[in-house]
Amino acid sequence: MTDDPVAAFFARAGKILEGVPEPDWDRIVDAVIDAVRRAPRGGWPLDVDMSDHDHDHDHADDDRSTDDHGKKDSVASVVDGAIAVSDLVLRGALARALGDDSSVPRNIELTLDGRHLERIRVELAARYGAELSDVADKVRHVVAGVVEDILGRSHASVDDVDVVITDVVEGDPRAD
Protein backbone atom coordinates (compact mmCIF):
# COMPACT_ATOMS: atom_id res chain seq x y z
CA MET A 1 0.00 0.00 0.00
CA THR A 2 1.18 3.54 -0.63
CA ASP A 3 1.59 6.41 1.83
CA ASP A 4 0.18 8.81 -0.76
CA PRO A 5 -3.23 9.95 0.57
CA VAL A 6 -4.43 10.93 -2.93
CA ALA A 7 -3.62 7.49 -4.34
CA ALA A 8 -5.30 5.87 -1.32
CA PHE A 9 -8.40 7.99 -1.91
CA PHE A 10 -8.59 6.95 -5.58
CA ALA A 11 -8.05 3.29 -4.67
CA ARG A 12 -10.84 3.47 -2.08
CA ALA A 13 -13.17 5.24 -4.54
CA GLY A 14 -12.44 2.61 -7.18
CA LYS A 15 -13.27 -0.23 -4.79
CA ILE A 16 -16.56 1.44 -3.84
CA LEU A 17 -17.47 2.02 -7.48
CA GLU A 18 -16.70 -1.60 -8.34
CA GLY A 19 -19.40 -2.70 -5.91
CA VAL A 20 -22.08 -0.42 -7.35
CA PRO A 21 -23.93 -1.89 -10.35
CA GLU A 22 -23.59 0.53 -13.25
CA PRO A 23 -24.71 -0.34 -16.76
CA ASP A 24 -21.75 -0.52 -19.17
CA TRP A 25 -19.25 0.28 -16.39
CA ASP A 26 -16.77 -2.20 -17.85
CA ARG A 27 -16.84 -0.26 -21.11
CA ILE A 28 -16.10 3.16 -19.53
CA VAL A 29 -13.99 2.33 -16.45
CA ASP A 30 -10.62 3.13 -18.09
CA ALA A 31 -11.86 6.47 -19.46
CA VAL A 32 -13.25 7.47 -16.05
CA ILE A 33 -10.04 6.55 -14.24
CA ASP A 34 -7.93 8.44 -16.81
CA ALA A 35 -10.18 11.51 -16.43
CA VAL A 36 -9.85 11.43 -12.64
CA ARG A 37 -6.07 11.10 -12.87
CA ARG A 38 -5.92 14.10 -15.25
CA ALA A 39 -8.01 16.26 -12.92
CA PRO A 40 -5.95 19.11 -11.49
CA ARG A 41 -5.03 18.87 -7.84
CA GLY A 42 -2.45 20.34 -5.54
CA GLY A 43 0.94 18.71 -5.44
CA TRP A 44 3.21 17.67 -2.60
CA PRO A 45 6.65 19.30 -2.31
CA LEU A 46 9.73 17.11 -2.75
CA ASP A 47 13.08 18.38 -1.51
CA VAL A 48 15.80 18.85 -4.11
CA ASP A 49 19.30 17.71 -3.10
CA MET A 50 21.51 20.71 -3.81
CA SER A 51 24.72 18.98 -2.66
CA ASP A 52 25.31 17.90 -6.27
CA HIS A 53 25.73 21.52 -7.30
CA ASP A 54 28.99 23.40 -6.81
CA HIS A 55 28.66 25.88 -3.95
CA ASP A 56 31.98 27.65 -3.52
CA HIS A 57 31.13 30.32 -0.95
CA ASP A 58 34.65 31.79 -0.90
CA HIS A 59 34.40 32.70 -4.58
CA ALA A 60 30.80 33.84 -4.18
CA ASP A 61 31.98 36.50 -1.74
CA ASP A 62 34.53 37.71 -4.28
CA ASP A 63 31.76 38.22 -6.86
CA ARG A 64 29.96 40.72 -4.66
CA SER A 65 30.24 44.33 -5.61
CA THR A 66 32.06 46.80 -3.37
CA ASP A 67 31.09 50.32 -2.43
CA ASP A 68 33.40 53.37 -2.51
CA HIS A 69 34.97 52.36 0.83
CA GLY A 70 35.80 48.77 -0.22
CA LYS A 71 32.96 47.17 1.74
CA LYS A 72 31.19 44.18 0.21
CA ASP A 73 27.58 44.72 -0.86
CA SER A 74 25.50 42.29 1.23
CA VAL A 75 22.55 42.41 -1.20
CA ALA A 76 24.59 40.65 -3.90
CA SER A 77 25.81 37.88 -1.58
CA VAL A 78 24.89 34.23 -2.10
CA VAL A 79 22.13 33.04 0.22
CA ASP A 80 21.69 29.36 0.95
CA GLY A 81 18.16 28.04 0.79
CA ALA A 82 16.06 25.08 -0.13
CA ILE A 83 14.39 24.16 -3.38
CA ALA A 84 11.35 21.92 -3.66
CA VAL A 85 9.63 20.41 -6.68
CA SER A 86 6.01 19.29 -6.77
CA ASP A 87 5.38 15.56 -7.00
CA LEU A 88 3.13 16.39 -9.96
CA VAL A 89 6.10 17.84 -11.83
CA LEU A 90 8.12 14.69 -11.20
CA ARG A 91 5.24 12.41 -12.24
CA GLY A 92 4.71 14.43 -15.42
CA ALA A 93 8.40 14.32 -16.33
CA LEU A 94 8.46 10.56 -15.72
CA ALA A 95 5.34 9.98 -17.85
CA ARG A 96 6.86 11.97 -20.74
CA ALA A 97 10.20 10.17 -20.50
CA LEU A 98 8.79 6.65 -20.30
CA GLY A 99 6.42 6.21 -23.24
CA ASP A 100 7.87 4.42 -26.27
CA ASP A 101 6.90 1.68 -28.72
CA SER A 102 7.63 -1.10 -26.23
CA SER A 103 5.79 0.19 -23.16
CA VAL A 104 3.74 3.06 -21.77
CA PRO A 105 3.15 4.00 -18.13
CA ARG A 106 -0.38 3.46 -16.84
CA ASN A 107 0.26 4.64 -13.29
CA ILE A 108 3.17 6.22 -11.42
CA GLU A 109 3.11 6.09 -7.63
CA LEU A 110 5.57 7.89 -5.39
CA THR A 111 6.22 6.74 -1.84
CA LEU A 112 7.26 9.67 0.31
CA ASP A 113 8.62 10.19 3.78
CA GLY A 114 7.53 13.74 4.41
CA ARG A 115 9.21 15.70 1.62
CA HIS A 116 11.74 12.97 0.76
CA LEU A 117 11.20 10.52 -2.11
CA GLU A 118 11.57 6.92 -0.90
CA ARG A 119 10.38 4.70 -3.79
CA ILE A 120 8.71 4.85 -7.17
CA ARG A 121 6.30 2.28 -8.57
CA VAL A 122 5.64 2.36 -12.31
CA GLU A 123 2.79 0.29 -13.74
CA LEU A 124 3.20 -0.36 -17.47
CA ALA A 125 1.36 -1.68 -20.46
CA ALA A 126 3.92 -3.47 -22.63
CA ARG A 127 3.94 -4.55 -26.26
CA TYR A 128 3.30 -8.23 -26.90
CA GLY A 129 6.60 -9.86 -27.86
CA ALA A 130 8.81 -7.37 -26.00
CA GLU A 131 11.36 -8.86 -23.62
CA LEU A 132 9.70 -7.78 -20.37
CA SER A 133 12.82 -7.97 -18.20
CA ASP A 134 14.64 -5.67 -20.65
CA VAL A 135 11.67 -3.28 -20.68
CA ALA A 136 11.65 -3.19 -16.87
CA ASP A 137 15.43 -2.60 -16.67
CA LYS A 138 15.20 0.22 -19.21
CA VAL A 139 12.33 1.83 -17.27
CA ARG A 140 14.30 1.63 -14.00
CA HIS A 141 17.27 3.41 -15.57
CA VAL A 142 15.14 6.08 -17.24
CA VAL A 143 13.30 6.74 -13.96
CA ALA A 144 16.57 6.99 -12.02
CA GLY A 145 17.95 9.42 -14.63
CA VAL A 146 14.86 11.66 -14.51
CA VAL A 147 14.87 11.65 -10.70
CA GLU A 148 18.56 12.56 -10.68
CA ASP A 149 17.96 15.42 -13.13
CA ILE A 150 15.08 16.83 -11.09
CA LEU A 151 15.81 15.99 -7.45
CA GLY A 152 19.54 15.26 -7.37
CA ARG A 153 21.80 12.24 -7.21
CA SER A 154 20.95 11.21 -3.63
CA HIS A 155 17.35 10.45 -4.68
CA ALA A 156 18.22 8.40 -7.78
CA SER A 157 18.71 4.65 -7.57
CA VAL A 158 17.40 1.89 -9.81
CA ASP A 159 16.98 -0.16 -6.61
CA ASP A 160 14.22 2.24 -5.50
CA VAL A 161 12.14 1.74 -8.65
CA ASP A 162 9.49 -0.99 -8.80
CA VAL A 163 8.23 -1.85 -12.28
CA VAL A 164 4.99 -3.79 -12.67
CA ILE A 165 3.72 -4.92 -16.06
CA THR A 166 -0.06 -4.67 -15.68
CA ASP A 167 -1.07 -5.23 -19.30
CA VAL A 168 0.32 -6.70 -22.53
CA VAL A 169 -1.07 -5.32 -25.78
CA GLU A 170 -0.60 -6.12 -29.44
CA GLY A 171 1.08 -3.36 -31.41
CA ASP A 172 2.20 0.01 -30.08
CA PRO A 173 1.01 0.38 -26.45
CA ARG A 174 0.75 4.17 -26.90
CA ALA A 175 -2.18 3.59 -29.25
CA ASP A 176 -4.45 2.32 -26.44
Side-chain angles (χ1 to χ4, degrees):
M1 191 68 188
T2 179
D3 293 333
D4 183 359
V6 174
F9 169 78
F10 288 135
R12 238 182 358 266
K15 291 293 181 198
I16 291 170
L17 289 174
E18 285 175 358
V20 176
E22 179 68 31
D24 295 327
W25 173 249
D26 293 337
R27 186 177 53 80
I28 65 169
V29 65
D30 291 331
V32 170
I33 291 172
D34 287 343
V36 169
R37 287 185 177 145
R38 284 192 308 268
R41 63 183 191 271
W44 190 260
L46 301 172
D47 288 333
V48 174
D49 179 7
M50 296 302 294
S51 65
D52 296 341
H53 298 70
D54 190 15
H55 290 95
D56 192 345
H57 296 288
D58 295 333
H59 294 299
D61 288 341
D62 293 340
D63 292 339
R64 293 185 295 171
S65 61
T66 57
D67 63 14
D68 293 335
H69 304 289
K71 292 186 178 180
K72 299 284 183 181
D73 178 9
S74 62
V75 175
S77 67
V78 174
V79 178
D80 286 334
I83 296 177
V85 173
S86 167
D87 68 319
L88 300 176
V89 170
L90 180 59
R91 287 177 207 247
L94 289 169
R96 285 186 299 279
L98 289 174
D100 64 18
D101 66 345
S102 65
S103 68
V104 65
R106 294 289 192 218
N107 190 29
I108 299 171
E109 293 180 14
L110 308 178
T111 302
L112 309 174
D113 180 13
R115 295 169 52 127
H116 182 78
L117 179 64
E118 293 289 320
R119 296 195 71 74
I120 298 175
R121 176 186 165 103
V122 179
E123 295 178 6
L124 299 171
R127 181 178 42 80
Y128 178 78
E131 182 61 45
L132 298 182
S133 61
D134 292 344
V135 169
D137 287 342
K138 178 182 173 187
V139 167
R140 283 186 193 91
H141 284 90
V142 169
V143 168
V146 169
V147 170
E148 181 176 346
D149 288 347
I150 294 176
L151 298 179
R153 191 172 302 131
S154 69
H155 294 279
S157 170
V158 294
D159 296 332
D160 296 331
V161 180
D162 298 319
V163 177
V164 180
I165 309 295
T166 58
D167 196 10
V168 176
V169 298
E170 289 190 41
D172 191 337
R174 295 173 292 189
D176 280 350

